[in-house]
Amino acid sequence: EYVLDPIDQQRRLQWFRAARFGMFIHWGLYAQLGRHEWVMQREQIPIPEYEKLAETWHPKPGFARAWARLAKRAGMRYMMLTSKHCEGFSLWDSTINPYNAARTGPGRDLVAEFVEAARNEGLKVGLYYSLMDWHHPDGARCFHDQAARRRMLDYTHGLVRELCNNYGKIDILWYDASWPLMTADGWESARM
């Protein structure tokens, strides 16, 4: 089991504190609706209706290069992209989550494009990952059902493993929305 070394943690965070300025990009299917990333939940859009957004989303080629150039020109030192928000749609070519950008409308790995563009501009790479998942059948059930909890943890850990293994070094992995398990122990974060 991993034990966090406070000295190592401070060393690893030093560059982030020194960078001070970066681009945080919240981007997913919800962008097509022109509202906010919680639109599915707040407006109670049924999953089958919301899923249709995946087939109609066609980000223009070169989007990541344009963002990275803008970040570099503005003096930013890193970029962060939402790899999966609470809606459950993965922006990468996942072998675990079929609800992803490579298998639907975009037809390509958007995380790969983002990572390559950021690195080409000399920027550190960050990926935002929402633990909460409204699309996964065990997303809410895992709070009360131990079998669902195990499936959700295996699913989540597998997706995070893909992000950490498929794109080289990831400088920042930003977890968000811990509901329904709420704690680091609940999500088995040390193991993850």
Side-chain angles (χ1 to χ4, degrees):
E1 181 175 309
Y2 178 76
V3 177
L4 186 63
D5 175 1
I7 295 171
D8 183 47
Q9 180 184 25
Q10 293 305 313
R11 181 190 57 75
R12 288 184 290 123
L13 286 172
Q14 188 174 5
W15 77 263
F16 181 70
R17 288 190 189 102
R20 300 175 54 96
F21 188 40
M23 183 182 285
F24 199 119
I25 304 162
H26 249 303
W27 197 46
L29 298 178
Y30 45 85
Q32 294 182 88
L33 299 176
R35 291 190 288 283
H36 50 78
E37 67 274 8
W38 279 67
V39 67
M40 180 183 162
Q41 192 266 348
R42 289 194 179 154
E43 296 182 19
Q44 298 180 359
I45 301 171
I47 289 173
E49 182 181 331
Y50 194 86
E51 284 177 334
K52 293 175 186 173
L53 292 172
E55 292 302 329
T56 62
W57 191 31
H58 301 287
K60 69 179 185 177
F63 72 90
R65 287 190 305 274
W67 292 346
R69 283 188 212 116
L70 176 64
K72 184 70 169 186
R73 271 198 323 269
M76 295 181 192
R77 305 262 173 78
Y78 66 93
M79 291 177 65
M80 175 89 62
L81 176 70
T82 307
S83 63
K84 182 185 82 65
H85 201 267
C86 302
E87 67 188 5
F89 186 75
S90 297
L91 298 190
W92 71 95
D93 187 7
S94 174
T95 61
I96 297 168
N97 181 11
Y99 188 49
N100 73 66
R103 296 188 196 183
T104 60
R108 57 196 215 262
D109 188 325
L110 303 176
V111 168
E113 293 178 34
F114 169 81
V115 169
E116 179 182 5
R119 288 192 181 131
N120 284 344
E121 292 297 328
L123 301 166
K124 299 270 190 182
V125 173
L127 297 175
Y128 168 111
Y129 181 90
S130 175
L131 296 166
M132 183 188 323
D133 194 316
W134 301 320
H135 189 265
H136 194 282
D138 292 320
R141 208 176 344 187
C142 67
F143 183 72
H144 297 289
D145 179 331
Q146 285 304 307
R149 178 181 177 275
R150 182 75 267 146
R151 287 188 302 269
M152 189 64 188
L153 287 173
D154 292 344
Y155 174 76
T156 298
H157 287 217
L159 291 176
V160 169
R161 189 176 305 108
E162 286 182 339
L163 289 173
C164 291
N165 289 334
N166 294 353
Y167 306 101
K169 181 183 179 195
I170 302 301
D171 300 296
I172 307 168
L173 190 55
W174 185 293
Y175 296 113
D176 194 19
S178 62
W179 186 90
L181 300 178
M182 302 305 289
T183 66
D185 287 341
W187 286 102
E188 296 180 6
S189 295
R191 187 171 69 84
M192 186 164 40

